């Protein structure tokens, strides 16, 4: 029998929060019950990783990071290495978020280097892919996503790629309130899985998350789709009630 992929819900706080606000959000998330069916992770900004680890200790919620350096260690002022994240107790790391690509100029090569480094260290990489609105309207969405995947596959190889989590985040849906419809998302997720399969990756093992204006209202509709294995949640992860409801929706499938 095919093993069902456990759902994964990740809160990406982006560059939001302060000690006081985080403390009350984390105290509420601490109360979330554990479930066999869903794994829950929050990714605060670097300075708050330890605060999150401390408050969430012994709870069902684990802690990840939003980025890592493409270098291992050394003279790279301002960067944070994967081994530092491991040292702080992070279990996973988001790589190649569209904001990193568009605002900070991360290329497919840099993203691939980071994914390889995270895998080497035993940090689970959450590889973000997704097209812009112009690319979608030009009919290029699948080609863009395929090229982003291929950039990583070329560096890490098919065998290791099955340990990567893919997050499909259409750029036009991020922070806009304009979610991809469950059908649009499922089409792309199925395409991603088929492409991974064709490339020799054990694709049935790979979790593919959806991200982009996920809310407590639309999450249940997304999670019933066969190739949607969870969500990467931005804005709604900053509110304990909405994030908890999204996690509960994943556990209910
Ligand atoms: P929003 O949920 O705020 O649209 O952000 C999505 C995202 O970028 C998560 O990484």
């Amino acid at each position: 029998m095919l093993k069902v992929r456990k759902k994964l819900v990740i809160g990406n706080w982006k560059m939001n929060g302060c000690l006081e606000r985080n403390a009350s959000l984390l105290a509420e998330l601490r109360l979330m019950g554990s479930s066999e069916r869903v794994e829950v992770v929050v990714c605060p900004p670097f300075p708050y990783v330890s605060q999150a680890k401390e408050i969430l200790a012994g709870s069902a919620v684990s802690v990840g990071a939003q980025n890592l350096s493409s270098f291992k260690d050394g003279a790279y002022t301002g960067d944070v290495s994967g081994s530092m994240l491991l040292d702080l107790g992070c279990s996973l790391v988001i790589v190649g978020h569209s904001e990193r690509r568009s605002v900070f100029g991360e290329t497919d090569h840099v993203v691939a280097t980071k994914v390889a480094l995270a895998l080497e260290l035993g940090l689970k990489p959450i590889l973000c892919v997704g097209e812009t609105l112009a690319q979608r309207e030009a009919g290029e969405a699948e080609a863009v996503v395929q090229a982003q995947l291929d950039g990583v596959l070329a560096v890490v190889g098919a065998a290791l790629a099955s340990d990567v989590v893919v997050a499909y985040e259409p750029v036009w849906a991020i922070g806009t309130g304009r979610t991809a419809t469950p059908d649009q998302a499922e089409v792309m997720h199925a395409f991603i899985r088929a492409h991974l399969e064709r490339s020799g990756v054990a694709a049935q093992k790979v979790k593919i998350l959806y991200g982009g204006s996920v809310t407590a209202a639309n999450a249940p509709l997304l999670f019933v789709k066969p190739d949607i294995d969870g969500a990467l949640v931005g804005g709604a992860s900053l509110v304990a009630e909405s994030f908890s409801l999204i996690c509960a929706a994943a556990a209910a499938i």
Side-chain angles (χ1 to χ4, degrees), residues 100-184:
R100 300 291 324 164
R101 294 176 190 262
S102 67
V103 183
F104 299 97
E106 285 190 16
T107 60
D108 283 344
H109 178 71
V110 167
V111 171
T113 307
K114 291 183 174 191
V115 169
L117 208 50
L119 287 171
E120 190 186 320
L121 290 165
L123 256 179
K124 187 162 272 299
I126 313 300
L127 167 66
C128 300
V129 297
E131 80 288 354
T132 63
L133 186 59
Q135 289 165 331
R136 175 160 282 260
E137 284 174 351
E140 296 165 356
E142 291 185 348
V144 167
V145 168
Q146 178 169 326
Q148 290 169 336
L149 293 170
D150 286 346
V152 170
L153 285 169
V155 172
V156 308
L160 287 184
S162 64
D163 288 328
V164 174
V165 171
V166 178
Y168 170 57
E169 297 206 310
V171 178
W172 46 271
I174 295 177
T176 58
R178 183 178 168 192
T179 329
T181 66
D183 286 339
Q184 273 174 326

Side-chain angles (χ1 to χ4, degrees), residues 190-205:
F191 169 79
I192 290 170
R193 202 177 302 286
H195 183 65
L196 292 175
E197 192 103 57
R198 271 197 303 278
S199 310
V201 180
Q204 293 304 322
K205 244 185 79 181

Side-chain angles (χ1 to χ4, degrees), residues 12 14 94 97 99 169 173-176 211-214 232-236:
N12 174 9
K14 309 195 178 184
I94 298 169
H97 190 281
E99 288 146 18
E169 297 206 310
I174 295 177
T176 58
S213 298
V214 174
L232 183 53
V233 185

Side-chain angles (χ1 to χ4, degrees), residues 69 71 73-80 84:
S69 174
F71 302 100
D73 53 44
Y76 301 103
T77 303
D79 249 9
V80 173
M84 292 172 188

